[in-house]
Amino acid sequence: MVSDRRTPSDDPLKFLIVDDHALVRYGLSLALRQRYEHVAVVEAGSLAEAVRKVRSEPDLTAILYDLQMGDSDEHSGLTDMLKAAGDVPLIVVSGTTDGNVIASCIRAGARGFVHKGCEGGVLDQALPIVLEGGIFAPAPPKPPDGRPVRIALASAAAPLRSESEAVSGLTERQREVLRLLLEGRSNKEIARSLGVLEGTIKVHLRTVMQRLGVRNRTQLALATMKAGIALSS
């Protein structure tokens, strides 16, 4: 499904694949193992099993979730899965091309949407974006009535509750990571500067994003600047 070029990583990654077809799970697992040098894959064939796996695997990197699971409907199933996932990013993997469905998944909280019939390179593009805190969604096809489908992310426009309080409550290491991020450093550069693994930086950023109620690096930078707090030591 993806190129055979493997991406080296100092930290092991762990993905949960949720699909009620064993062959699809096998294909996605193979794709992940081809892309990443150090990766663990956990599988679930039902929503109920997936929720159990999320609770028993606290160190998940991301979830690949089939929208059409046999033991749930699309909307409630995705809602339940997102609730169980917490701050673990979830990518919907589905056969639908309905732009409204794609939009509703992103609005619900999915960090990405990948069509099952896409080229493997699309998954190659989606994974780094989502793992860096961004959102990946295909341009929805033009609907029959000619009107474009718009994806409105409510959280992006919602006012943050107390940026100043949230930033001031960060640990010293979290503030260091945030300061370097505001300087435009990548996760790898931040890790090298602080002498830690890149995966540790991802954990810090995920915690800070959750604390500030934002979804990506851009929103995080804006929230920090809005707080008006100097992060330099």
Side-chain angles (χ1 to χ4, degrees):
M1 293 182 63
V2 298
S3 66
D4 57 5
R5 176 180 54 82
R6 303 177 80 186
T7 301
S9 174
D10 292 329
D11 294 337
L13 304 177
K14 183 184 288 187
F15 292 88
L16 171 61
I17 299 174
V18 185
D19 197 293
D20 53 4
H21 293 89
L23 188 58
V24 174
R25 296 197 304 272
Y26 172 79
L28 288 172
S29 176
L30 182 61
L32 293 171
R33 295 181 193 281
Q34 286 178 340
R35 176 173 177 82
Y36 296 107
E37 189 172 351
H38 303 293
V39 65
V41 177
V42 181
E43 299 182 13
S46 68
L47 175 63
E49 183 182 8
V51 171
R52 290 196 298 270
K53 290 290 176 68
V54 167
R55 292 170 178 167
S56 64
E57 304 283 349
D59 54 346
L60 288 173
T61 303
I63 300 169
L64 302 181
Y65 178 77
D66 178 22
L67 198 58
Q68 291 84 24
M69 296 298 294
D71 61 339
S72 67
D73 62 52
E74 291 183 4
H75 178 72
S76 64
L78 178 60
T79 299
D80 291 345
M81 191 70 244
L82 286 167
K83 182 177 180 180
D87 64 347
V88 179
L90 180 148
I91 301 174
V92 171
V93 181
S94 174
T96 184
T97 58
D98 188 328
N100 290 302
V101 173
I102 296 172
S104 67
C105 290
I106 300 301
R107 281 196 297 265
R111 301 294 183 86
F113 189 102
V114 174
H115 188 266
K116 284 185 176 181
C118 71
E119 295 292 333
V122 174
L123 188 60
D124 265 343
Q125 296 170 17
L127 287 171
I129 291 173
V130 171
L131 295 185
E132 287 290 333
I135 295 176
F136 180 91
K142 190 175 181 180
D145 59 11
R147 292 181 298 177
V149 176
R150 302 185 184 279
I151 301 177
L153 299 177
S155 61
L160 298 171
R161 289 179 294 177
S162 175
E163 295 90 347
S164 179
E165 182 180 359
V167 173
S168 62
L170 298 177
T171 66
E172 186 59 34
R173 179 46 59 94
Q174 289 168 345
R175 291 167 69 87
E176 287 180 322
V177 171
L178 195 49
R179 175 176 57 80
L180 292 171
L181 179 144
L182 291 177
E183 292 178 1
R185 309 277 192 94
S186 67
N187 286 358
K188 184 175 294 186
E189 291 170 334
I190 296 173
R192 188 181 300 117
S193 175
L194 298 179
V196 299
L197 296 176
E198 187 177 352
T200 302
I201 301 303
K202 292 178 180 178
V203 171
H204 282 312
L205 287 176
R206 185 179 299 169
T207 301
V208 174
M209 287 180 188
Q210 185 176 22
R211 186 178 183 88
L212 280 158
V214 299
R215 291 176 178 269
N216 55 51
R217 293 167 71 98
T218 300
Q219 292 177 17
L220 180 57
L222 290 172
T224 305
M225 289 186 287
K226 185 177 179 181
I229 292 178
L231 292 169
S232 56
S233 14

